[in-house]
Amino acid sequence: MKRKVIALLLTGIMATSMLTACGGGKSDGGSADSGSSEGGSTAGATELTPEEQEAVDAGIIQLDGTLPIIKDQKAFEEKYGKITMLLVNSPDRVVEPAELEACKQWEEATGVAFDWQKIPLDGAQEKINLLLAGGDDLPDVFWNFGDGKSGNITVQYANQEVFLPTEQLVADYMPNLKAFLDENPQYQMEITAPDGHTYGFPYVEEMYGLVLTPGPFVINKTWLDKVGKDVPTTVDEWVDCLKAFRDGGDLNGNGVDDEIPMATWFGATDTFGSYNLFYRFTGAFGCADSYCGGNQYADHLRIVDGKVQFTAMDEAFGKTAEFFNMLYNEGLIWNGSFEADESASFKQSLIKEDVARIGSFGVWGDQEITNLDVHDEYVAVPRLEGEAGKTGFAVNYSQLQDSSNTAITTTCKFPHVVARFVDYLVSDPVISVTGNWGPYNYAEDENGIIRTPLDEDGNYVGANPDYSNFGDARVNSTPCRGSFIVKDEYYEKYCGYAFDAVKLLEMQRENGKEDILAEYETIPRVQMTQEELQRLAQIQPPVSDIVDRYINTWVTTGFSQESWDAYISELEGAGVNDIVNIYQTAYDRANAAIQ
């Protein structure tokens, strides 16, 4: 009952605050500045909770945008205790959250010290659902819900008055986040729930579109030199290179005729669609497909001429199947490419060996080729010209990593403190960058730019000798993946680009990233209603299974018009048109919400 009362109170306040006169004297307890990071505008600000007003009047907290937010930490904690913050905790974290270097820095600047409540990553979703279903002992705030899960969870409980809508907090108390969202309406669209509210705050990690196209599509340049071929620029040239690899003998020099012209992983479910070459070639035959394991239920969808289209039903898909059947019949595809188990894929086997085994393949990160000598044999393949277009596709993903992190529950007595704290996190590039990737992963160079320290060979050395790799240093110096904003414009102005992604981005660009992103419009990570998600959960997995099954059959036994007709019939019977209609509705709704 208490939760409902607070929810109704705050919802009513938010609805009426838009009509109030300008000026923030009483509700904010401080000056009404112009909206800079030093002091935010309080025009039309939401009313404070009774506890917040009491703390402002007593001089314990200040909500005018100046720091610290909690002026008297001892008095605050004696009277109100700490704000409780639930954290889905990494299994690699050995440092208590409150002792993480980032948290200590934030506390020193803001005066806000959270009572971090950890739950393990393994089984986190079940634990969170049980906690939310109970509803009697909720934390004040959820820092995260597990990667990419925040939007679905907050929407699921939107009509149960569990999470506080935050759009008015952003408008009135978060000038830095508001400015960012005003400048980037695509992110505003992606964080807006079907009911028109936002819940929690976004986590955006821009990296020049790193996650918007698959990882590198590569070919072995050493082998090309040995067979007298140049790096291919057309689909036909690429096939000629594969045939030369097949017939070239012992190209890797290990004394065994074990060279494989090409490997792929049919049916891969990786986040960015990097390992399945089938999808990369569809554009060369007239209509690029799109795949992204990171955007649940959006496989094989794209925006074409303003409408959602299931691209795996385009005739280009059938032509791609005929092409891959030819590759199979020519003995150019590794037989292990059809294994469903990731442990049997080429990414876990062939590319880990100490000699090059594959002529050409796709991979998320070139660093997955673990032997450095083998790694250096491969170069990126440019977009290949085909009969009706070029290779490559954009994934249905976003640089908005999470829509609703730092989600405030309706039992929280200090929502405006949390809002000011999050706006502090996004107010400064260095705070967001180090909060996201960890303070121990950076040191300031002679030009004042923070960079990951590397040795003369480009290997990670880190700023803390206790951690030998980037990942361990990250999780043991920051809670990670909160409501941070990392912009493209920060690189080389405030920080270096992520050291382990420099080569990846370079090879993506050689694969044609910029042209691909300009050419294709993908499905944004729009939020769905609970009913829409439930329907998609019923029909989308079987639809994807049909696509994967037919691809395997076409590649190995051949393609025919009869089999294509049967394929289309199965897809329609499984509900593919419902998938398209659901996404069209959600896409139109999200666009309308930001108009």
Side-chain angles (χ1 to χ4, degrees):
M1 179 62 69
K2 180 180 180 183
R3 184 173 70 205
K4 179 176 287 190
V5 170
I6 294 176
L8 291 173
L9 173 64
L10 288 170
T11 301
I13 290 169
M14 288 180 182
T16 58
S17 65
M18 299 283 291
L19 305 176
T20 61
C22 293
K26 179 183 177 183
S27 68
D28 199 68
S31 62
D33 287 348
S34 61
S36 69
S37 60
E38 290 78 24
S41 170
T42 60
T46 59
E47 294 284 344
L48 306 185
T49 66
E51 290 83 1
E52 286 177 322
Q53 190 63 62
E54 179 183 60
V56 166
D57 293 342
I60 297 174
I61 66 174
Q62 55 185 357
L63 298 171
D64 61 354
T66 55
L67 295 176
I69 301 166
I70 297 180
K71 298 170 63 178
D72 189 334
Q73 190 179 69
K74 181 179 179 182
F76 181 90
E77 293 179 11
E78 285 180 350
K79 188 170 185 61
Y80 307 108
K82 291 182 178 180
I83 298 171
T84 55
M85 179 76 77
L86 185 138
L87 171 68
V88 176
N89 202 40
S90 169
D92 299 321
R93 182 171 289 124
V94 297
V95 176
E96 287 299 311
E99 296 303 313
L100 295 169
E101 183 62 26
C103 293
K104 291 192 291 186
Q105 293 176 7
W106 303 339
E107 180 181 347
E108 182 178 356
T110 68
V112 180
F114 295 109
D115 174 10
W116 293 91
Q117 300 179 352
K118 303 180 295 183
I119 62 171
L121 178 61
D122 185 31
Q125 299 311 300
E126 292 79 5
K127 293 181 178 66
I128 288 173
N129 283 329
L130 287 172
L131 180 64
L132 292 172
D136 295 327
D137 191 23
L138 293 175
D140 295 313
V141 192
F142 283 75
W143 178 260
N144 60 355
F145 298 87
D147 296 354
K149 305 295 194 307
S150 63
N152 285 355
I153 292 177
T154 54
V155 166
Q156 179 180 350
Y157 291 92
N159 64 353
Q160 299 182 39
E161 298 165 349
V162 171
F163 295 106
L164 189 69
T166 52
E167 63 273 6
Q168 203 61 47
L169 286 173
V170 172
D172 295 338
Y173 280 83
M174 307 180 73
N176 297 292
L177 180 56
K178 182 180 183 300
F180 175 77
L181 292 173
D182 287 346
E183 294 164 4
N184 295 275
Q186 76 275 19
Y187 296 137
Q188 181 66 58
M189 177 179 69
E190 291 181 319
I191 69 172
T192 302
D195 64 3
H197 291 300
T198 61
Y199 297 94
F201 307 103
Y203 164 41
V204 176
E205 183 186 74
E206 294 184 337
M207 295 182 68
Y208 298 131
L210 188 78
V211 298
L212 302 182
T213 60
F217 174 30
V218 300
I219 194 165
N220 192 304
K221 183 63 167 61
T222 301
W223 291 11
L224 287 176
D225 293 342
K226 288 184 177 181
V227 299
K229 298 284 186 181
D230 295 326
V231 175
T233 58
T234 69
V235 171
D236 289 343
E237 289 175 0
W238 181 72
V239 174
D240 287 341
C241 292
L242 298 189
K243 291 178 178 178
F245 294 161
R246 178 194 62 194
D247 303 331
D250 184 19
L251 295 174
N252 59 22
N254 68 344
V256 183
D257 188 10
D258 60 354
E259 286 72 13
I260 296 165
M262 183 267 279
T264 186
W265 179 15
F266 295 109
T269 56
D270 59 291
T271 301
F272 307 115
S274 301
Y275 303 95
N276 190 338
L277 287 181
F278 187 98
Y279 305 131
R280 297 198 194 225
F281 276 82
T282 50
F285 295 94
C287 179
D289 194 35
S290 187
Y291 174 88
C292 179
N295 190 354
Q296 192 177 30
Y297 307 136
D299 294 347
H300 312 301
L301 295 174
R302 266 187 45 218
I303 304 295
V304 180
D305 297 328
K307 296 296 182 181
V308 176
Q309 178 175 322
F310 193 80
T311 45
M313 295 173 72
D314 190 275
E315 65 176 10
F317 211 78
K319 292 181 178 180
T320 306
E322 291 181 291
F323 171 71
F324 270 75
N325 176 245
M326 178 274 294
L327 297 178
Y328 181 80
N329 290 334
E330 289 284 345
L332 303 177
I333 301 177
W334 179 50
N335 285 335
S337 298
F338 302 92
E339 295 286 345
D341 189 345
E342 180 174 346
S343 64
S345 68
F346 72 85
K347 66 169 286 195
Q348 299 294 0
S349 56
L350 298 179
I351 65 172
K352 305 295 186 185
E353 298 187 18
D354 291 333
V355 294
R357 291 287 308 284
I358 318 171
S360 188
F361 57 91
V363 68
W364 167 240
D366 63 298
Q367 69 274 12
E368 293 178 65
I369 309 171
T370 51
N371 182 288
L372 294 180
D373 292 331
V374 174
H375 170 278
D376 292 344
E377 293 185 26
Y378 290 93
V379 297
V381 179
R383 290 189 81 186
L384 301 176
E385 186 74 51
E387 65 180 54
K390 293 184 177 182
T391 56
F393 68 91
V395 301
N396 289 321
Y397 206 59
S398 172
Q399 294 186 115
L400 174 85
Q401 303 284 330
D402 255 300
S403 65
S404 310
N405 281 348
T406 327
I408 306 171
T409 64
T410 52
T411 56
C412 178
K413 297 176 181 178
F414 291 91
H416 296 79
V417 170
V418 176
R420 284 297 195 191
F421 175 82
V422 172
D423 205 56
Y424 155 78
L425 293 182
V426 306
S427 68
D428 182 273
V430 172
I431 295 171
S432 270
V433 168
T434 56
N436 184 41
W437 286 307
Y440 291 160
N441 282 321
Y442 291 96
E444 193 172 291
D445 70 9
E446 65 276 8
N447 297 314
I449 297 173
I450 58 171
R451 299 182 184 277
T452 302
L454 308 175
D455 64 20
E456 59 184 14
D457 297 320
N459 298 315
Y460 175 85
V461 292
N464 186 314
D466 292 338
Y467 305 105
S468 61
N469 63 71
F470 188 96
D472 284 346
R474 182 188 192 193
V475 300
N476 286 293
S477 60
T478 179
C480 304
R481 296 184 69 93
S483 296
F484 305 116
I485 304 294
V486 179
K487 304 179 188 180
D488 285 337
E489 64 196 59
Y490 290 173
Y491 300 114
E492 296 311 313
K493 184 176 182 181
Y494 302 103
C495 66
Y497 194 73
F499 87 98
D500 58 344
V502 172
K503 184 66 174 177
L504 193 166
L505 178 65
E506 176 185 317
M507 297 180 86
Q508 284 181 320
R509 286 174 168 170
E510 291 169 1
N511 286 156
K513 174 188 279 290
E514 307 304 333
D515 287 342
I516 290 168
L517 292 178
E519 187 174 338
Y520 301 128
E521 183 177 359
T522 56
I523 302 291
R525 295 180 69 187
V526 291
Q527 296 194 47
M528 303 282 187
T529 67
Q530 194 63 18
E531 292 75 18
E532 288 167 343
L533 288 172
Q534 288 172 351
R535 179 60 176 151
L536 288 171
Q538 291 174 338
I539 59 178
Q540 194 276 338
V543 165
S544 280
D545 288 344
I546 292 169
V547 174
D548 292 341
R549 172 162 50 84
Y550 270 88
I551 288 176
N552 283 1
T553 300
W554 286 329
V555 173
T556 55
T557 65
F559 176 87
S560 67
Q561 185 61 48
E562 182 181 7
S563 66
W564 178 258
D565 292 342
Y567 167 70
I568 297 298
S569 179
E570 278 199 51
L571 288 175
E572 290 176 343
V576 68
N577 293 326
D578 285 355
I579 295 175
V580 172
N581 291 336
I582 289 170
Y583 268 95
Q584 187 71 60
T585 298
Y587 177 71
D588 292 343
R589 180 179 61 223
N591 271 311
I594 62 170
Q595 299 305 316

